[in-house]
Amino acid sequence: PVEGGQYLQITAPISPGSSGGGLFDEKGSLIGLTTAYLADGQQLNFAIPVEWISELPKRHKKALAKGIEPYANRINKAEALSSKEDWEGLRDYTIQWIKELPQDAVAWFFLGLAYSRRDQIDKAIEAYQQSLHINPETSEVWYNLGTIFLRSGDNAKAVQALDQAIRTTPDYAKAYGNRGLAYSNLGDYNRAINDYNQAIRLDPEYATAYYNRGCDYSKLLNYNQSIKDYTKAIEIDPKFALAYYNRGNDYGKIADYNRAIQDYNKVIALNPAFASAFYNRGTAYYNIGNNNQMINDYKMAARLGHENSQNWLRGQGIYW
């Protein structure tokens, strides 16, 4: 709802330059004009209804006379602030927007986004919940709310919110992915794996879903499958340091120390400050009988603040 009528929220994707284009139904009937979209959103695209077309000049004059900012301009300004990652500016702009249009679900969505990016978790939750109170059928808001609960450690509420995101958009791959992570945090690895399966079915290039599924297979001691998943994540994203690291760990668990060392080499090349990679590589070198390299790696891990390395070296009377 907006002043004087309603916008259409649509799932048809809108790209830059398509504003003003025709929105047609499956029979080819014109039902509206595309107007605006949110780049940060998956399903937040907007159109004006066809009934407004003849009224647009009158509406425009009326808005100018009242000093009312056109609705599409509000969305575009908020989107521009979001693109620049000006979260304080976005917060201030949407607070003013809400003062003028307190029942605008999109304004509350943007306010929640601004608060979430500023790590103001409680305020973000409140804003997203207010958006959903106005319009409970927006999957992107349910998704963001679930993600905030996930960040805050409230995994049960994360599952509930992500359930709603999936209810409103059944093909929402990231919602399945994040719900899987929430189930994993709750220790329900089988449900988590089922969700990752759905996420991967919907988006076969979803590297994080493969990675998280690999983590859960590893917890279930299914190292062959976890290694396959980490490998797939790496194929999709060759710079996925954590996937190399966890695959190295699982190679170590099946005593394939040379492959473990290769993976830790890759981790360290991608992130030279990854202390645990040095420590674990040192342990792998120890397991193949290379004590000198083990000590060198433990020293480097100790310099990076790795406590186990420091304790072991102190016990041996070695300083770094």
Side-chain angles (χ1 to χ4, degrees), residues 241 264-278 281 300-301 303-304:
Y264 296 135
N265 290 344
K266 190 67 177 180
V267 176
I268 290 164
L270 291 167
N271 183 0
F274 201 145
S276 292
F278 283 102
R281 188 176 70 175
M300 180 58 73
R303 292 185 198 116
L304 292 168

Side-chain angles (χ1 to χ4, degrees), residues 170-185:
D171 60 351
Y172 201 157
K174 287 187 176 180
Y176 282 106
N178 276 12
R179 191 175 69 176
L181 186 55
Y183 277 132
S184 179
N185 291 340

Side-chain angles (χ1 to χ4, degrees), residues 41-55:
Q42 177 159 328
Q43 296 292 331
L44 294 181
N45 306 285
F46 298 93
I48 60 167
V50 69
E51 292 80 13
W52 280 28
I53 294 175
S54 62
E55 302 175 13

Side-chain angles (χ1 to χ4, degrees), residues 264 277-287 290 293-295 297-298:
Y264 296 135
F278 283 102
Y279 177 76
N280 288 4
R281 188 176 70 175
T283 301
Y285 274 123
Y286 170 80
N287 285 314
N290 190 338
Q293 187 60 49
M294 174 198 71
I295 291 171
D297 275 349
Y298 279 13

